[in-house]
Amino acid sequence: MTLRTDADHPQGPDEPPTSVRLAGVAAPHTAWHRAARGYIAIRAGADFLMTLLVVTALCVRHYRLVEAVELGLLAAAGLVVTTGLYHGYRRRHAVVGPEELRSILPVAGVLAVVSLVLQGLGLLDVPHPLVLQALVLTAVVTTLTRLLQRMVARRLRTDGRLARRTLLVGTSASLRPVFDALDDARCHGLTIVGVCAPEGPGDAPS
């Protein structure tokens, strides 16, 4: 196995990475886990803040400021809790594909149903058009906020941060294009630390 001698090995450039999973055993917490938790916490905080601002700004035209803020806090807490229950804050989905955006519409639908139920029970006195405006604007702002966060995260990845150390396993011929693709673009967040390939005719020891 050939390991890279870079800053991704804080325990020593000649030592193997500590974030390897073997036989289904979870490795100890690493810098990636801490960074992913921080990323998710920032996303949840941004969701809460954006929802609070949107709902408060819409409601302040119809209610007193204190009541508008209370409705904003209720909506923000509801969005964050519902997103969490919908697994929208999973660490494994941090900056990976469209998973971060898929929860927005289902969560908005759940909140719409909840608001209708609360209105039917007389526990929420908010006009239906206002609820619809709040849901649409919140979904749009949340989507834009998450896209912006992903842009920042990908920029950090190109600088070598917020990345996961990766070991490639397979034959040299099959791994060469994978290695080249991952090595050329680091925005995917996978930093190659080694290659494990079987020795065979024409293969160099790995």
Side-chain angles (χ1 to χ4, degrees):
M1 181 187 299
T2 302
L3 296 177
R4 287 190 175 185
T5 57
D6 53 25
D8 290 323
H9 298 268
Q11 70 276 21
D14 296 325
E15 295 294 328
T18 59
S19 60
V20 178
R21 288 179 178 268
L22 295 177
V25 179
H29 292 296
T30 62
W32 157 253
H33 296 135
R34 292 191 296 270
R37 285 199 302 269
Y39 179 87
I40 295 299
I42 292 174
R43 174 147 45 101
D47 288 347
F48 185 93
L49 180 60
M50 291 298 101
T51 304
L52 172 62
L53 293 177
V54 168
V55 175
T56 301
L58 289 175
C59 292
V60 77
R61 296 178 297 176
H62 305 278
Y63 302 90
R64 293 180 303 170
L65 179 59
V66 174
E67 295 175 337
V69 172
E70 290 177 350
L71 289 173
L73 290 173
L74 178 63
L79 180 117
V80 172
V81 171
T82 306
T83 302
L85 293 176
Y86 198 80
H87 305 297
Y89 296 132
R90 283 187 174 182
R91 186 178 60 194
R92 66 180 183 181
H93 294 158
V95 208
V96 178
E99 296 296 335
E100 296 176 328
L101 304 177
R102 287 180 178 172
S103 64
I104 294 177
L105 289 181
V107 168
V110 171
L111 292 178
V113 172
V114 171
S115 65
L116 290 175
V117 171
L118 293 178
Q119 287 176 332
L121 296 176
L123 300 176
L124 182 64
D125 184 18
V126 179
H128 292 294
L130 185 58
V131 172
L132 180 60
Q133 292 179 28
L135 288 172
V136 172
L137 286 178
T138 298
V140 171
V141 172
T142 300
T143 300
L144 294 177
T145 302
R146 293 188 181 186
L147 290 175
L148 177 61
Q149 187 180 3
R150 288 183 65 175
M151 290 174 58
V152 174
R154 291 189 176 188
R155 180 58 184 270
L156 293 176
R157 283 181 165 181
T158 60
D159 294 336
R161 292 174 286 179
L162 197 61
R164 302 186 75 171
R165 292 173 290 194
T166 305
L167 175 67
L168 298 182
V169 180
T171 62
S172 298
S174 63
L175 290 180
R176 187 170 293 110
V178 178
F179 179 89
D180 293 339
L182 295 180
D183 201 44
D184 289 341
R186 303 191 67 179
C187 63
H188 43 65
L190 302 177
T191 299
I192 303 173
V193 296
V195 177
C196 182
E199 295 184 26
D203 287 340
S206 55

